[in-house]
């Protein structure tokens, strides 16, 4: 069940990604519609984060390519916003909430230039949208998990992008934050933004997303939620890893070189 | 004293030069070092500083004299080679980073010592002073060398200031930087170059063995005092410059004294002071706030005892009865009674202790929190009534008014706790 769309926002063409030797994504080929809230589902180690990192150019694919807005990534970077996993940064870094949100304006600001009044106003507006106005000057080390996630979302908003790629924005956040973030994402898609979210909870995924991608080392499904959320596809995604594929991965890992590389 | 005045009034232009030089290179290396400390790459600085030694010796051999250009280039080249090897080995072998750094450090340093011995045996009259590179001697630096070191330090400071936003991004979230299209690999390269430069210019003043301390200690010490990057950098620079000047002063009054160890002694002292006395993060202030909390706990318990006596129909307790309630803690209890009297929560008449009106309402609050928490544990966490007391005994001092409101709402303003005791409210009569 893989639905392809015409004039897609993201086109992933035959993408294979390996870490060291082991392939973590096999020949993913999909296209995504614009203005939708899209969820990436799959078990631990299925390659969900890897997929958006590959789209963002943060990991190099072994083969295949990605096109965004029908362009190469380099040409449209400032229309894309990336929200990394919350745990991927050191929250003890000496910075305030405002400092972090301002980073969202760096892309348009460019190298050398220091952020000024205009950037500060953008950042404050974004903090307001995620309900963190009273934390502007708070040290990031003093935030709770949910607040850290809100800060990351505010930073993404400050990028003023058209496409948002978010790695587990609902991981480890309280219920109130989850609802608030979800509502915000819905409002954004209503304004024509496309949002791709790595997600881990099947139950809420049913209600949250318009479109779902199911991954388990390879692409199991991609299409409108009501078509993809079937028992058969869920079993394929979550019913253990594909035994044969895992064995092949293991075989490749033991080689001294990666035979999939061109 | 005479020496002290002579040194610090800068009557001697050459001393003024040395002080300016050491200040600049102190600030420069503290600046770079603070970033690498925040990036958790402190060991890399140590490896680089040991790894520049063979380069210094090769530069000397090639020039045949102590030519600063040859020595700086040699040191830079071998520092860069070591940095490159470390990152190459990390991405191309399965060795762990600490093993790689330790091996590179010792291999380069060992090779450097071999070259140094060769030079010393060669009988070159120029070689005197090459030993200074091991532990450093700031006073012995020539004026024309200082121009080079000071100039490079200035370059480091300027670049780090101009690129503050890029380097912060490099440390805090390089993936994000890459995602917004910043050339993070080049920024990392520039940062590594600055780090090697900082080591190279500090070598003659501080020495290869101790240079890492000048990189890392200032930032680590300053981190105790502040959570702001800007202030952190300024503080680290100040610590470093002050230690540098003091170390130079010692080398000035006792010329056989190497500068490096004294700089490190000063820095360690500053770090120790920060560790002990810094507000909030210092050991002493943490000790004090813990102590204050324990005292408050005891006072709360004492008020609860008075409150429970009222519940049982006794309007007051005698001092002896209070002592009996807290066996083996009569000193502590006496202190608590004095403090509570000063706060106006209790009054004492001869042997008799009574809660005042404000005291009653405060005691009610503590008992209420205790019993609400017991009920919460019992109802929501299914903990048996005889297991809830200990947790409540600790949490009654911590729960905030917001949490109290939340508990009241969740439990729907209950009347009784799991032990069928009354949960007191402010309007209740006593």
């Amino acid at each position: 069940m893989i639905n392809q769309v015409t004039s897609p926002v993201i086109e992933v063409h035959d993408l294979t990604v390996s870490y060291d030797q082991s392939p973590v994504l096999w020949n993913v080929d999909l296209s995504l519609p614009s203005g939708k809230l899209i969820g990436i589902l799959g078990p631990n180690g299925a390659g969900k984060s890897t997929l958006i990192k590959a789209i963002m150019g943060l990991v190099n694919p072994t083969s295949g390519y990605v096109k965004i807005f029908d362009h190469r990534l380099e040409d449209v970077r400032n229309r894309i916003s990336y929200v990394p996993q919350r745990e991927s940064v050191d929250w003890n870094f000496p910075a305030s909430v405002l400092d972090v949100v301002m980073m969202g304006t760096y892309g348009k600001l460019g190298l050398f230039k220091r952020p000024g009044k205009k950037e500060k106003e953008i950042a404050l507006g974004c903090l307001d949208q995620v309900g963190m106005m009273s934390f502007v000057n708070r040290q990031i080390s003093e935030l709770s998990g949910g607040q850290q996630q809100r800060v990351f979302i505010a930073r993404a908003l400050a990028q003023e992008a058209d496409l948002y790629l978010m790695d587990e924005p609902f991981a480890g956040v309280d219920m109130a934050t989850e609802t608030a973030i979800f509502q915000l994402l819905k409002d954004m898609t209503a304004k024509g933004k496309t949002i791709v979210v790595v997600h881990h909870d099947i139950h809420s995924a049913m209600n949250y997303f318009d479109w779902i991608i199911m991954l388990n080392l390879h692409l199991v499904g991609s299409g409108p939620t009501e078509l993809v959320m079937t028992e058969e596809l869920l079993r394929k995604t979550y019913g253990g890893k594909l035994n044969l594929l895992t064995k092949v991965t293991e075989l490749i890992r033991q080689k001294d070189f990666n035979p999939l590389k061109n | 004293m005479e020496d002290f005045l002579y040194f610090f009034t800068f009557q001697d232009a050459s001393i003024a030069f040395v002080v300016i030089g050491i200040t600049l290179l102190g600030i420069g290396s503290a600046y770079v070092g603070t970033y690498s400390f925040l990036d958790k790459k402190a060991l890399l600085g140590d490896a680089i500083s040991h790894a520049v030694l063979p380069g210094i010796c090769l530069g000397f051999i090639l020039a045949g004299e102590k030519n600063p250009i040859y020595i700086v280039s040699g040191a830079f080249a071998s520092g860069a080679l070591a940095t490159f090897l470390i990152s190459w080995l990390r991405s191309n072998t399965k060795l762990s980073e600490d093993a790689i750094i330790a091996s590179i450090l010792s291999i380069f340093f060992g090779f450097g010592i071999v070259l140094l011995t060769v030079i010393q045996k060669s009988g070159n009259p120029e070689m005197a002073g090459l030993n200074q590179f091991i532990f450093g001697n700031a006073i012995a630096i020539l004026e024309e060398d200082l121009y080079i070191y000071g100039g490079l330090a200035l370059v480091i400071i300027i670049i780090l200031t101009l690129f503050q936003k890029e380097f912060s991004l490099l440390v805090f979230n390089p993936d994000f930087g890459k995602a917004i299209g910043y050339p993070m690999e080049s920024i990392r390269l520039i940062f590594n170059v600055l780090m090697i430069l900082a080591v190279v210019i500090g070598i003659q003043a501080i020495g290869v063995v101790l240079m890492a301390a000048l990189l890392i200690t200032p930032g680590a010490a300053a981190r105790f005092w502040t959570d702001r990057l800007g202030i952190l950098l300024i503080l680290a620079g100040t610590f470093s410059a002050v230690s540098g000047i003091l170390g130079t002063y010692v080398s000035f009054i006792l010329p056989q004294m190497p500068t490096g160890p004294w700089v490190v002694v000063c820095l360690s002292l500053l770090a120790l002071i920060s560790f002990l006395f810094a507000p909030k993060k210092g050991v002493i202030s943490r000790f004090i706030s813990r102590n204050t909390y324990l005292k408050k706990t005891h006072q709360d318990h004492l008020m609860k005892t008075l409150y429970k006596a009222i519940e049982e129909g006794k309007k007051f307790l005698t001092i002896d009865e209070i002592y009996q309630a807290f066996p083996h803690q009569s000193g502590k209890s006496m202190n608590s009674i004095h403090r509570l009297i000063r706060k106006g929560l209790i009054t004492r008449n001869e042997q008799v202790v009574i809660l005042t009106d404000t005291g009653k309402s405060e005691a009610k609050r503590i008992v209420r929190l205790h019993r609400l928490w017991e009920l919460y544990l019992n109802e929501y966490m299914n903990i048996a009534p005889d297991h809830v007391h200990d947790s409540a005994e600790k949490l009654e001092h911590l729960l905030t008014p917001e949490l109290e409101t939340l508990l009241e709402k969740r439990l729907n303003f209950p009347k009784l706790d799991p032990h069928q005791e009354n949960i007191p409210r402010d309007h209740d009569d006593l």
Side-chain angles (χ1 to χ4, degrees):
Chain A
M1 172 69 237
I2 295 163
N3 259 21
Q4 304 291 355
V5 297
T6 48
S7 63
V9 174
I10 299 176
E11 183 197 347
V12 176
H13 183 86
D14 212 18
L15 187 81
T16 297
V17 183
S18 323
Y19 284 136
D20 292 329
Q21 305 301 339
S22 347
V24 285
L25 272 183
W26 291 80
N27 300 73
V28 172
D29 199 89
L30 56 80
S31 47
L32 298 174
S34 77
K36 295 270 191 273
L37 189 49
I38 299 164
I40 304 180
L41 283 182
N44 282 335
K48 305 186 292 286
S49 297
T50 307
L51 177 59
I52 64 169
K53 278 188 181 161
I55 294 174
M56 226 37 248
L58 299 176
V59 295
N60 291 324
T62 317
S63 65
Y65 64 81
V66 175
K67 275 190 161 184
I68 301 175
F69 303 117
D70 203 27
H71 283 82
R72 288 184 327 128
L73 170 71
E74 302 308 321
D75 304 329
V76 286
R77 263 195 201 279
N78 55 18
R79 293 178 62 194
I80 315 166
S81 161
Y82 168 64
V83 180
Q85 269 181 39
R86 186 165 55 84
E87 291 87 13
S88 67
V89 306
D90 173 15
W91 289 92
N92 278 321
F93 186 79
S96 69
V97 165
L98 185 65
D99 292 338
V100 174
V101 179
M102 293 261 258
M103 288 177 188
T105 64
Y106 288 2
K108 293 204 164 73
L109 200 62
L111 293 168
F112 285 118
K113 279 186 226 120
R114 281 172 178 255
K117 226 185 193 153
K118 190 180 136 219
E119 283 72 28
K120 193 176 168 184
E121 260 159 38
I122 295 174
L124 288 176
C126 298
L127 272 172
D128 193 26
Q129 285 187 59
V130 298
M132 289 282 289
M133 263 318 237
S134 46
F135 293 86
V136 175
N137 292 313
R138 189 68 69 89
Q139 280 308 303
I140 54 170
S141 56
E142 296 165 10
L143 301 177
S144 72
Q147 289 163 343
Q148 291 173 349
Q149 199 66 65
R150 284 174 192 238
V151 169
F152 261 10
I153 304 255
R155 179 175 76 173
L157 293 176
Q159 289 181 260
E160 299 176 325
D162 298 317
L163 168 63
Y164 292 79
L165 302 168
M166 304 186 173
D167 204 343
E168 299 263 11
F170 298 116
V173 307
D174 51 292
M175 208 50 214
T177 303
E178 176 159 340
T179 323
I181 294 177
F182 170 63
Q183 195 52 48
L184 186 71
L185 300 187
K186 262 197 106 158
D187 294 346
M188 286 161 68
T189 48
K191 285 179 202 146
K193 316 269 186 196
T194 310
I195 300 168
V196 182
V197 172
V198 172
H199 196 59
H200 57 276
D201 181 34
I202 310 170
H203 297 284
S204 53
M206 292 276 255
N207 306 321
Y208 283 179
F209 302 117
D210 310 318
W211 185 284
I212 281 179
I213 299 168
M214 284 194 195
L215 276 184
N216 188 2
L217 293 178
H218 69 124
L219 185 64
V220 179
S222 166
T225 306
E226 61 278 8
L227 295 181
V228 175
M229 273 296 200
T230 62
E231 210 192 312
E232 190 206 342
L233 288 185
L234 280 171
R235 204 175 43 242
K236 269 192 184 169
T237 312
Y238 287 92
K241 285 188 178 172
L242 293 175
N243 219 347
L244 202 141
L245 199 55
T246 325
K247 277 191 179 144
V248 174
T249 309
E250 187 58 25
L251 189 71
I252 293 173
R253 204 176 60 79
Q254 285 163 0
K255 289 255 184 274
D256 287 335
F257 58 95
N258 190 343
L260 295 176
K261 238 170 209 154
N262 301 331
Chain B
M1 193 62 210
E2 219 172 279
D3 281 341
F4 183 83
L5 282 179
Y6 183 76
F7 184 89
F8 282 103
T9 49
F10 307 129
Q11 297 161 9
D12 190 335
S14 70
I15 288 179
F17 261 117
V18 171
V19 168
I20 293 170
I22 199 103
T23 306
L24 283 176
L25 79 86
I27 293 173
S29 54
Y31 215 159
V32 183
T34 301
Y35 277 107
S36 76
F37 161 74
L38 291 173
D39 203 15
K40 306 202 169 57
K41 294 238 161 53
L43 269 181
L44 186 63
D46 199 22
I48 295 175
S49 58
H50 281 79
V52 297
L53 187 61
I56 293 172
C57 296
L58 279 176
F60 180 83
I61 292 172
L62 285 177
E65 52 167 357
K66 246 177 74 186
N67 180 321
I69 309 244
Y70 276 77
I71 284 180
V72 164
S73 328
F76 186 85
S78 71
L81 180 66
T83 316
F84 170 75
L85 277 178
I86 288 171
S87 77
W88 187 84
L89 286 171
R90 196 174 41 215
S91 50
N92 288 289
T93 64
K94 292 206 163 94
L95 293 171
S96 69
E97 184 162 12
D98 59 334
I100 295 171
I101 289 180
S103 338
I104 294 286
L105 183 152
S106 31
I107 292 167
F108 273 73
F109 189 62
F111 185 53
I113 294 289
V114 168
L115 285 178
L116 197 65
T117 324
V118 169
I119 294 169
Q120 277 168 336
K121 289 268 185 289
S122 72
N124 185 331
E126 285 274 351
M127 65 109 209
L130 208 55
N131 260 335
Q132 286 163 2
F133 286 102
I134 303 286
F135 287 119
N137 190 336
I139 287 296
I141 304 176
L142 300 171
E143 208 174 298
E144 57 263 37
D145 298 3
L146 268 177
Y147 283 120
I148 296 179
Y149 296 147
L152 284 174
L154 214 54
V155 169
I156 294 175
I157 296 169
I158 290 170
I159 294 183
L160 281 174
T161 312
L162 280 179
F163 280 98
Q164 181 165 345
K165 111 176 180 287
E166 286 76 10
F167 289 124
S168 300
L169 212 51
L170 180 73
V171 173
F172 177 63
N173 198 349
D175 262 3
F176 181 78
K178 211 173 157 191
I180 60 176
Y182 279 19
M184 295 317 280
E185 271 96 23
S186 311
I187 293 172
R188 160 115 21 227
L189 185 73
I190 294 173
F191 182 75
N192 283 343
V193 167
L194 293 180
M195 179 115 143
I196 300 165
L197 267 185
V199 170
V200 168
I201 58 173
I203 289 299
Q204 202 179 349
I206 310 297
V208 289
V209 177
L210 296 171
M211 190 56 207
L214 196 65
L215 285 170
I216 303 306
T217 322
R223 192 68 181 90
F224 279 100
W225 299 90
T226 177
D227 278 325
R228 299 239 170 253
L229 183 61
I231 299 171
L232 183 68
L233 291 170
I234 292 169
L235 218 55
T238 316
F239 284 172
S240 172
V242 167
S243 310
I245 293 170
L246 286 176
T248 312
Y249 172 65
V250 173
S251 285
F252 167 72
I253 46 172
L254 304 165
Q256 73 279 19
M257 279 286 184
T259 313
W262 283 98
V263 173
V264 173
V265 167
C266 294
L267 269 177
S268 312
L269 207 64
L270 286 170
L272 184 70
I273 291 171
S274 311
F275 173 71
L276 290 177
F277 299 105
K280 282 215 287 208
K281 287 184 195 156
V283 172
I284 289 179
S285 90
R286 268 163 49 199
F287 177 78
I288 290 173
S289 74
R290 192 183 123 83
N291 227 6
T292 321
Y293 178 74
L294 287 179
K295 274 185 199 146
K296 161 97 167 34
T297 321
H298 194 263
Q299 291 165 26
D300 286 0
H301 288 164
L302 205 151
M303 292 214 292
K304 258 178 19 186
T305 312
L306 284 164
Y307 178 83
K308 281 183 188 154
I310 299 177
E311 277 190 329
E312 287 159 14
K314 289 181 74 178
K315 290 271 171 235
F316 59 84
L317 287 178
T318 64
I319 299 266
D320 280 339
E321 282 170 321
I322 289 176
Y323 284 174
Q324 274 161 27
F326 301 96
H328 313 300
Q329 299 186 18
S330 39
K332 236 174 158 183
S333 302
M334 201 62 235
N335 279 336
S336 288
I337 290 174
H338 285 311
R339 289 210 175 79
L340 288 170
I341 291 173
R342 235 177 296 147
K343 286 184 195 163
L345 295 171
I346 58 175
T347 53
R348 178 185 163 187
N349 195 347
E350 299 287 322
Q351 286 301 303
V352 172
V353 177
I354 309 179
L355 281 170
T356 63
D357 283 345
T358 34
K360 274 182 195 157
S361 108
E362 174 65 11
K364 269 187 204 165
R365 193 185 66 85
I366 301 161
V367 173
R368 184 165 64 239
L369 286 173
H370 180 102
R371 294 183 178 165
L372 279 172
W373 184 249
E374 286 187 334
L375 191 62
Y376 178 77
L377 287 183
N378 181 238
E379 281 200 0
Y380 279 78
M381 290 162 73
N382 289 323
I383 297 172
D386 56 335
H387 285 197
V388 293
H389 177 76
D390 284 349
S391 162
E393 198 71 0
K394 284 171 189 127
L395 279 168
E396 62 194 13
H397 320 288
L398 277 179
L399 295 174
T400 57
E402 295 86 66
L403 278 166
E404 183 188 337
T405 328
L406 209 62
L407 277 171
E408 291 271 32
K409 270 193 206 148
R410 279 284 156 79
L411 299 163
N412 200 16
F413 302 91
K415 287 259 177 298
L416 296 174
D417 77 354
H419 310 109
Q420 307 309 314
E421 286 169 315
N422 182 40
I423 296 177
R425 302 275 148 48
D426 243 351
H427 47 78
D428 292 350
D429 280 331
L430 262 184

